[in-house]
Amino acid sequence: GHFCHTPHRPLHRHCIAVQLDDSNMSDGVPRSVPLPSSSSPITSTKDGLLQLVQSHFVAQALLSIVRLGVPDVLGSHHGNSSGLSVDEIIVKLNRPEVNRDALFRCLRLLCTAGVVQETTENTDGSIHSTFILTEMGELLQTSSSNSMPSFVLHWMEEPLWKAWSCLPNYVMAGDDNGDSNSLPPFDR
């Protein structure tokens, strides 16, 4: 599966494109599978499984925006009901090196998880997107009384992330000759 957006076939706000097999293809384009948000229940067992398998996408997108400070930028403009565009976010971050397209894709993906909300406006034949924090996204601001960005940073630390990625091999191989690779992933 992959997250994509093309000018010819825009990705819907609450979907992520996946390609399971040829039966999921329409004119050579992967079919979009809706990902449940906090307001939409899982509609099928297949959708629920796809949501679980793709959850690491959301975790990595969360880590990216928290490290950049995007929730603080969006939160500082909370009174601006129209939100901020990706270009405005990059300017407010004072980080011109930020990959605009990658940040846009992260924010679109986080729309599916209920972290941010996208508003689109068609002006002069081009689509203009802006983003605002949802109630869940507000928890990612460092100034929030219930601030949670430190949890995102902790749970996504590279050693912890790598430990979880070792779990399948540990489960399949068990203890083999007492070398360091046989230690449980979280003891390494």
Side-chain angles (χ1 to χ4, degrees):
H2 62 281
F3 181 75
C4 67
H5 170 77
T6 63
H8 305 290
R9 295 182 188 261
L11 184 63
H12 297 290
R13 207 173 327 199
H14 300 291
C15 296
I16 199 162
V18 296
Q19 179 181 344
L20 297 175
D21 55 40
D22 290 340
S23 66
N24 283 343
M25 299 289 283
S26 170
D27 301 323
V29 176
R31 182 178 299 157
S32 293
V33 177
L35 288 178
S37 67
S38 57
S39 62
S40 66
I42 295 175
T43 56
S44 75
T45 304
K46 185 176 178 182
D47 290 346
L49 181 59
L50 286 172
Q51 181 185 14
L52 287 173
V53 171
Q54 297 170 347
S55 64
H56 66 286
F57 299 163
V58 173
Q60 290 294 331
L62 271 174
L63 178 62
S64 299
I65 68 154
V66 166
R67 281 186 176 167
L68 278 173
V70 172
D72 288 331
V73 167
L74 290 174
S76 69
H77 295 284
H78 191 267
N80 181 357
S81 61
S82 64
L84 295 174
S85 69
V86 170
D87 292 328
E88 292 168 325
I89 293 168
I90 291 171
V91 167
K92 302 261 184 225
L93 288 169
N94 195 25
R95 301 278 305 263
E97 74 278 8
V98 169
N99 181 321
R100 183 199 181 286
D101 184 57
L103 179 57
F104 178 75
R105 290 169 183 258
C106 282
L107 291 169
R108 298 269 325 264
L109 177 57
L110 292 172
C111 286
T112 67
V115 175
V116 294
Q117 182 180 346
E118 178 184 23
T119 303
T120 58
E121 184 179 301
N122 189 345
T123 54
D124 301 325
S126 64
I127 307 254
H128 180 72
S129 293
T130 58
F131 298 90
I132 60 172
L133 292 174
T134 62
E135 187 177 344
M136 182 190 311
E138 289 174 0
L139 295 173
L140 297 172
Q141 297 174 83
T142 55
S143 62
S144 168
S145 61
N146 296 316
S147 182
M148 297 187 73
S150 59
F151 289 97
V152 173
L153 294 172
H154 170 71
W155 289 109
M156 295 301 298
E157 287 178 311
E158 193 170 341
L160 191 54
W161 188 259
K162 283 183 178 181
W164 279 105
S165 71
C166 294
L167 186 60
N169 288 338
Y170 179 72
V171 169
M172 289 186 287
D175 188 294
D176 56 352
N177 301 327
D179 66 6
S180 65
N181 288 330
S182 67
L183 290 172
F186 302 103
D187 289 343
R188 294 184 191 166

